[in-house]
Structure formats: C-alpha cells, structure tokens
Amino acid sequence: MDLLHKYWRWLALIVLIIVLTNSRSLPWPLVTLILGVAAGRLLREGWIVWRRAGGPPTRSKVTYWRGQRIEVGPPRAGPALPDIRGIGPALIYLIPGLIFALVAVAVVLRNLGL
C-alpha cells in the first residue's frame, strides 16, 4: 500500500494517457469525467503554487518607531488575491489544466450535438 501512496501521480498519469489514446472506444461520459477530474486537480495545484509563490499577502502597514515594530491600520476584509508576478511557476499546472477543461467541454458539446 505504501507504493500506491508514493506513486499515485504516476498511476494517474498512466490512466490519463490510456483514456486519451482510447477515447474513441470508451464511453464519452467516462472520458469527460476523467478529463474533468484531471483538469480540476491541475487547476487546484496551480492555484496553490501561485498563492505560495509570493508568500502570505501583507494586510497592514508596518512602521518602526524607536526600534519597535508598529502595525498601522486594520486588516483588510477577505482574502487577498495572489500577486500576478508570482504566476510563473503556476503556469506549469494552469495551462494543462485549462487545456484538459476545454477538451472536456468540447467532448460534452460534441456528443450533445450543440
């Protein structure tokens, strides 16, 4: 069981490749489901990497006076968006995730006749 826990990403990649190569013979809802799950996972990982890239967002102004640190101003309400400059490492996950999501939508639209 430890091997499955350690190498589950490789197994998921192999399953994804098998599904993509046999997509004509597999039922389209299964192909759509697997592509959607892969897209969701990649987009989630990309978001996590993007949020971690710049560190936690600063919520208050810090001032130093006579050697003491003073935080000025109340914290903003709600979560801060990540900095756009930290998106570089996240693109490795976001671009394939977006492609898989678009392919899943295309499969659904093709099979529903829209």
Side-chain angles (χ1 to χ4, degrees):
M1 191 63 182
D2 189 39
L3 280 176
L4 181 63
H5 181 70
K6 191 173 184 179
Y7 296 113
W8 70 269
R9 290 180 181 98
W10 286 106
L11 293 173
L13 179 66
I14 291 169
V15 167
L16 184 66
I17 290 171
I18 289 171
V19 166
L20 288 176
T21 56
N22 296 320
S23 63
R24 296 256 182 212
S25 61
L26 292 173
W28 69 269
L30 178 67
V31 173
T32 304
L33 177 71
I34 291 177
L35 285 173
V37 168
R41 177 70 183 180
L42 286 171
L43 290 173
R44 180 179 169 271
E45 287 295 322
W47 177 255
I48 290 171
V49 168
W50 187 15
R51 287 197 54 190
R52 262 188 292 172
T58 58
R59 299 201 177 267
S60 61
K61 182 180 175 186
V62 176
T63 304
Y64 291 93
W65 187 67
R66 292 188 180 180
Q68 292 183 351
R69 179 180 178 184
I70 302 169
E71 293 188 21
V72 181
R76 289 189 321 224
L81 289 175
D83 189 18
I84 193 69
R85 292 173 288 188
I87 199 169
L91 287 177
I92 296 170
Y93 299 102
L94 293 175
I95 290 175
L98 184 62
I99 290 171
F100 284 152
L102 291 175
V103 169
V105 169
V107 168
V108 169
L109 292 178
R110 182 186 67 201
N111 287 301
L112 292 179
L114 298 176

